[in-house]
Structure formats: C-alpha cells, structure tokens
C-alpha cells in the first residue's frame, strides 16, 4: 500500500470516529444543555491533556507572548464549542456538516488580514461559489432560519478564526500555553453557567461523556498518523467523508434524510473547498492556510491535532502549522 493510500485510509477512519463522537453529542444534546456537555467534556479531557503537558520539556513560563491574539483565539474556540454542540443537538447531522464545511472558505478570507495572504481571482471565485453553497443549504426566505442554523454558522466562523490565529502565533507560543488557556477558560465559563442549566446525569451518561473525550483523542491521533504517512493535499479533503457518515448515522439513529437543497449545497461547498486545497498544493499560496489546517474546528474541549504533533516532536514549530 502506498503512503498516500495509507494516509487516506487512516484519515477516513479518523473522521468516521469524529462523526461517531458527534452522534454521541447529538444524543446527549437532546437531554442536556450544551454548556453542561461542554463542561464535562473539558473536565474529562484534562487527564489526557495533562499527559501531553508532562511531555513538554521546553523551559519557560505559562505567560503568553501574544496575549491579545491568544485571547481572541480562546474566545473564538469557546464560542465554537458551545455553538457546534448546540447545532448538532437540534439540526440534522448532514446539515451541520454542510455549514461547518464552509470553514476552509472562511480561513481563506481571514488569511488576508491576519497572515497577509494574497488571494487571487480563482480562489476568490471558489470562495464566492462556496458561500453560495452555504446559502443553498440555509435557503433564506424559503425556510425558517433557527438558532441552530445560526449556531452552526457561528461554529464555522469561530473555528476558522481560531485556526488562523494559531497559525499567526504558532511559531512563537509554547504548545502548552496554546493548549492550557483555551481549555481553562472554557472550563471556568461553563462552570459559571452550569448552576443555571444543570440536570443530574446518570452514570451511563457520564460514561458517554467519557466516550466523547476518548473518541476525540483517538481520532486526533489517527489524523496525526495520516499526515505522517501521506501528503497534506491527499489527507485534507478526507474530512468531507463526514457527510457520508452523517447520512448513515442520521438515517439509522435519528431517522434523518438529506433533502435536495442540503445535498446540492454541500456538494458546492465541498467542491469549492477541494479546489482551494488543490490550488494551495500547487504552490499558489504563500501560507497555504487551508492545506495546513490539520483538524476540525477548534472547540477548546480537546487539544488540536497540530498540538499533538508538536508535543510529540513530529513537526517543528512553524507559523503554518495551526
């Protein structure tokens, strides 16, 4: 088996596990507030994150070198986590994924002011076509836009903003700093909200929360293995396989079917995102902002894939490693 084929298979498995993670989020979201789910997800992720932090032998303090950029990234990540968990709980899985797939388009736009990236006509056209695909999914005017749709959009924007900020400061901030601050802020804010939304949880539901943390951790490790085996241009588009899992899981577990507008809009968004990845892989982008996005949107509930890689010493600190 070629390295690219191996990497692609590992990525497909990883995103299948991520999709299973989202099914559990959706199940729990029908019972509990997203604030409560995020709180316990972060809490149960701390032992895994601590193991990572123990491997950071680089001397220094936990004082960030870029506090304002880190604060922006932290706020975006917190919004993304709550918004994504809520969107999964109230919208069909496929519809949430279709909206979240707009992240590469938003990253391309944000790379202009944040990274000084030059976006030429072809990529601008791809972005505009992809955003038109989002409108096809949302169908403004022909269907009611709910809080769930707004939450999915907020998750896409927040995740894109968090990714691009990490690419801005990633070669200067310690991984432990970028890992600890978002998780701690998420934990504190969700703890403040918890008294207003808390519903007692049976032990089996706490077990499902542990499953969420474990699945996210394991899937992230598989994504690392995928990028170590194959080329980024091959691995990055594998995240779009989640729409297939969404169709399967949505139908069998929740009785969901993909309507025509969602299918058409998702196809447009995916095609635009893949075109941007292809353009960047051919060297048309100085910073390759989309191609270097190694994982799903930042939620501050589990470490980013790039932080796993840097803790493991698999890649050197660099600006284009989100």
């Amino acid at each position: 088996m070629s390295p690219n084929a191996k990497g692609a298979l590992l990525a497909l498995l990883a995103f299948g596990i991520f999709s299973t993670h989202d099914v559990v989020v959706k199940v729990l979201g029908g019972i509990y507030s997203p604030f409560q789910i995020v709180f316990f997800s972060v809490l149960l992720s701390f032992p895994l994150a601590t193991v990572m932090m123990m491997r950071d032998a680089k001397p220094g303090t936990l004082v960030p070198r870029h506090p304002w950029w880190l604060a922006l990234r932290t706020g975006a990540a917190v919004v993304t986590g709550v918004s994504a968990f809520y969107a999964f709980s109230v919208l069909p899985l496929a519809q949430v994924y279709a909206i979240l797939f707009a992240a590469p388009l938003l990253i391309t736009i944000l790379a202009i002011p944040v990274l000084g990236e030059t976006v030429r006509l072809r990529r601008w056209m791809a972005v505009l076509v992809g955003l038109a695909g989002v409108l096809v999914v949302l169908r403004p005017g022909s269907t009611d836009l709910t809080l769930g749709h707004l939450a999915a959009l907020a998750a896409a924007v927040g995740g894109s903003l968090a990714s691009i900020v990490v690419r801005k400061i990633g070669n200067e901030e310690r991984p432990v700093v970028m890992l600890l601050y978002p998780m701690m802020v998420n934990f504190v804010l969700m703890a403040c909200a918890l008294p207003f939304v808390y519903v007692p949880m049976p032990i089996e539901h706490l077990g499902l929360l542990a499953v969420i943390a474990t699945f996210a951790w394991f899937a992230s490790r598989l994504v690392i293995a995928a990028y170590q085996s194959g080329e980024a241009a091959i691995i990055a588009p594998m995240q779009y396989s989640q729409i297939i899992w969404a169709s399967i899981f949505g139908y069998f577990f929740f009785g969901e079917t993909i309507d025509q507008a969602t299918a058409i809009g998702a196809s447009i968004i995916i095609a635009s995102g893949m075109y941007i990845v292809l353009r960047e892989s051919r060297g048309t982008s100085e910073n390759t902002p989309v191609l270097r996005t190694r994982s799903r949107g930042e939620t501050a509930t589990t470490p980013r894939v790039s932080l796993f890689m840097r803790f493991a010493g698999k890649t050197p600190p660099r600006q284009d490693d989100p």
Side-chain angles (χ1 to χ4, degrees), residues 142-278:
S142 62
T143 185
D144 292 333
L145 293 181
T146 66
L147 187 58
H149 294 101
L150 295 177
L153 286 171
V157 174
S160 302
L161 181 58
S163 293
I164 209 72
V165 169
V166 173
R167 292 200 47 232
K168 174 72 174 179
I169 64 176
N171 62 334
E172 298 179 355
E173 289 287 4
R174 295 179 65 194
V176 65
V177 171
M178 292 193 291
L179 167 65
L180 188 60
Y181 277 77
M183 292 189 72
M184 282 300 301
V185 170
N186 215 2
F187 179 79
V188 171
L189 291 180
M190 297 306 110
C192 291
L194 196 61
F196 302 99
V197 299
Y198 180 74
V199 175
M201 306 184 76
I203 189 65
E204 57 267 25
H205 287 179
L206 287 172
L208 288 176
L209 287 167
V211 167
I212 290 175
T214 303
F215 275 19
W217 182 272
F218 187 57
S220 297
R221 299 296 299 183
L222 285 175
V223 174
I224 292 173
Y227 273 101
Q228 290 170 347
S229 299
E231 300 174 32
I234 301 297
I235 307 305
M238 293 300 108
Q239 64 180 309
Y240 296 126
S241 65
Q242 291 178 107
I243 200 72
I244 300 175
W245 290 111
S247 303
I248 297 172
F249 290 152
Y251 178 79
F252 284 104
F253 292 116
F254 307 107
E256 299 171 353
T257 56
I258 299 181
D259 58 60
Q260 185 178 27
T262 300
I264 294 174
S267 299
I268 295 172
I269 297 167
I270 291 171
S272 301
M274 292 185 68
Y275 178 80
I276 290 172
V277 168
L278 179 62

Side-chain angles (χ1 to χ4, degrees), residues 10-250:
L10 288 171
L12 288 172
L13 178 59
F15 287 110
I17 294 173
F18 272 130
S19 297
T20 309
H21 162 287
D22 297 333
V23 168
V24 180
V25 170
K26 185 173 181 65
V27 169
L28 292 176
I31 306 171
Y32 306 102
S33 164
F35 297 103
Q36 183 169 340
I37 299 174
V38 170
F39 172 81
F40 283 104
S41 296
V42 176
L43 179 64
L44 294 172
S45 294
F46 268 119
L48 301 174
T50 301
V51 172
M52 287 183 61
M53 289 187 285
M54 290 172 62
R55 301 182 62 180
D56 184 13
K58 184 178 179 180
T61 70
L62 295 179
V63 178
R65 298 184 64 179
H66 301 278
W68 294 112
W69 282 114
L70 187 63
L72 178 61
R73 181 234 174 177
T74 298
V78 170
V79 169
T80 302
V82 174
S83 299
F85 279 33
Y86 176 75
F88 278 120
S89 69
V90 298
L91 293 180
L93 288 171
Q95 202 166 99
V96 178
Y97 283 135
I99 297 172
L100 293 181
F101 286 162
L105 313 175
L106 299 172
I107 289 173
T108 301
I109 296 172
L110 290 171
I112 299 172
V114 177
L115 301 179
E117 175 81 355
T118 299
V119 176
R120 303 191 185 281
L121 179 61
R122 291 185 180 180
R123 273 197 294 160
W124 266 121
M125 292 298 294
V127 169
L128 293 175
V129 170
L131 294 179
V134 174
L135 293 178
V136 172
V137 174
L138 295 177
R139 289 161 286 176
S142 62
T143 185
D144 292 333
L145 293 181
T146 66
L147 187 58
H149 294 101
L150 295 177
L153 286 171
V157 174
S160 302
L161 181 58
S163 293
I164 209 72
V165 169
V166 173
R167 292 200 47 232
K168 174 72 174 179
I169 64 176
N171 62 334
E172 298 179 355
E173 289 287 4
R174 295 179 65 194
V176 65
V177 171
M178 292 193 291
L179 167 65
L180 188 60
Y181 277 77
M183 292 189 72
M184 282 300 301
V185 170
N186 215 2
F187 179 79
V188 171
L189 291 180
M190 297 306 110
C192 291
L194 196 61
F196 302 99
V197 299
Y198 180 74
V199 175
M201 306 184 76
I203 189 65
E204 57 267 25
H205 287 179
L206 287 172
L208 288 176
L209 287 167
V211 167
I212 290 175
T214 303
F215 275 19
W217 182 272
F218 187 57
S220 297
R221 299 296 299 183
L222 285 175
V223 174
I224 292 173
Y227 273 101
Q228 290 170 347
S229 299
E231 300 174 32
I234 301 297
I235 307 305
M238 293 300 108
Q239 64 180 309
Y240 296 126
S241 65
Q242 291 178 107
I243 200 72
I244 300 175
W245 290 111
S247 303
I248 297 172
F249 290 152

